Amino acid sequence: MSIHVSIQSGARRLRFVCFAAALLVCGAVCGHAQTSFDVASVRPNNGEGRSLLEATPGRLAATNISVQRLLLIAFGIQDFQMVDAPSWTASEHYDVTAKASGDTTVNQMEGPMLQALLQERFGLKAHREIKVLPRYELRTIKGALKLHRSVEGSCKPYVKDAQPDMASNGKPAVPFCGLHRTEEGPSRRLEGKGVTIADLAASLSHSYNTDLNSVVVDLTGLSGGFDMNLQWTNDADALPSAAGLSAGLSLPTALREQLGLRLERSKGEVEVLVIDHIDRPEAN
């Protein structure tokens, strides 16, 4: 098994990675970190149950989930970053149950271990490339910044496999730093303490958060954590035509009015995952 090396071509740099080999290398240098599930079941789902993925240390369970969604989770990308995936990966859904040792973290299972499962059961072969694609740049508006610095100690760093300390009233005594997402129909809200602008840009890039369908790059030059409460309406321009609905703030307008930030359309380097080969799994 070989690992493809980086290729420099003018200003563009293409990075090719054999994921299976990368997992083997990690196993050799990262101690005893588990790189594959002990037991896994993959079965077709014909639309039964809502789409759901649950992960706790040592166990991952997905119900009625598309292969496309599994790929996005495993490689930490958005749908616009995936290239050459067959159409059936979006339309066909599966139930996946996988178990590992009890101390295996959620990050391990949703990352390298899910990648290994896709290679083993779906025959996945893929590589990463850098492409020049449309994107958004997040910038400040001179003299209009409305961000508020977080008070030190008002939140604690987020750890995916940890739980917040709870007070007697059942609420977190000290909340995790970072953004929390809520949605009601077309309404969206991102709020949190200790939020970096890089965190905000990453969240705005997520296709389930917004209708931007593009990577958002932080070019504000701002560092440190802020308290944020950003509210907008997805596809706000379409709302007036819907019966009984009034127009809400679009995301660009909400960013400008509530945070003093602006989105600027541009083109730049974006990492994508190219699907070279993938099969439907055999029944098990």
Side-chain angles (χ1 to χ4, degrees):
M1 185 176 294
S2 62
I3 301 177
H4 295 284
V5 298
S6 298
I7 300 174
Q8 192 78 24
S9 176
R12 297 182 61 195
R13 181 174 180 268
L14 303 184
R15 293 183 293 163
F16 297 87
V17 180
C18 175
F19 294 111
L23 290 173
L24 291 176
V25 172
C26 181
V29 299
C30 301
H32 299 288
Q34 192 164 355
T35 57
S36 61
F37 291 103
D38 297 329
V39 180
S41 170
V42 179
R43 299 180 182 277
N45 183 298
N46 296 319
E48 298 178 0
R50 66 189 183 97
S51 183
L52 180 68
L53 185 140
E54 298 176 298
T56 55
R59 184 177 185 273
L60 183 145
T63 303
N64 193 18
I65 195 165
S66 69
V67 179
Q68 181 189 67
R69 187 65 184 156
L70 291 174
L71 287 163
L72 300 182
I73 293 168
F75 292 98
I77 60 174
Q78 300 305 305
D79 50 6
F80 52 84
Q81 292 176 274
M82 192 158 61
V83 179
D84 294 340
S87 59
W88 67 264
T89 60
S91 60
E92 296 185 13
H93 290 216
Y94 290 83
D95 294 339
V96 177
T97 303
K99 296 181 180 179
S101 59
D103 61 350
T104 304
T105 68
V106 172
N107 282 333
Q108 285 176 272
M109 292 189 300
E110 291 187 347
M113 293 172 67
L114 184 53
Q115 292 176 21
L117 179 65
L118 288 164
Q119 293 162 15
E120 178 184 349
R121 298 298 179 88
F122 293 82
L124 173 67
K125 294 180 182 178
H127 69 274
R128 294 187 189 265
E129 289 185 9
I130 300 296
K131 290 184 176 292
V132 176
L133 297 174
R135 69 180 190 181
Y136 285 98
E137 296 174 352
L138 187 62
R139 298 179 179 271
T140 59
I141 301 174
K142 188 175 181 179
L145 197 63
K146 300 178 182 180
L147 291 168
H148 301 283
R149 291 280 180 185
S150 295
V151 176
E152 186 175 353
S154 62
C155 63
K156 67 178 184 178
Y158 174 68
V159 179
K160 190 170 186 177
D161 298 310
Q163 295 293 327
D165 298 325
M166 305 304 288
S168 58
N169 61 3
K171 296 183 178 180
V174 179
F176 284 131
C177 301
L179 285 166
H180 307 279
R181 174 178 65 98
T182 58
E183 59 181 77
E184 295 180 9
S187 298
R188 300 287 187 270
R189 181 197 296 263
L190 287 174
E191 59 182 331
K193 295 179 177 292
V195 180
T196 67
I197 305 300
D199 290 337
L200 174 63
S203 189
L204 295 177
S205 298
H206 290 172
S207 55
Y208 58 75
N209 268 347
T210 72
D211 51 9
L212 295 177
N213 200 36
S214 183
V215 167
V216 178
V217 181
D218 171 23
L219 293 181
T220 63
L222 299 172
S223 60
F226 301 87
D227 293 344
M228 291 188 190
N229 187 348
L230 179 66
Q231 302 177 59
W232 75 97
T233 302
N234 252 16
D235 197 18
D237 292 340
L239 282 180
S241 63
L245 292 176
S246 59
L249 291 179
S250 68
L251 178 57
T253 301
L255 283 166
R256 184 173 63 252
E257 294 185 1
Q258 298 169 19
L259 303 182
L261 301 175
R262 63 186 172 91
L263 286 172
E264 187 174 295
R265 195 69 164 156
S266 69
K267 282 191 175 183
E269 292 188 343
V270 176
E271 188 175 67
V272 300
L273 181 74
V274 181
I275 306 301
D276 300 309
H277 178 85
I278 191 167
D279 291 320
R280 293 175 174 86
E282 295 181 1
N284 59 70

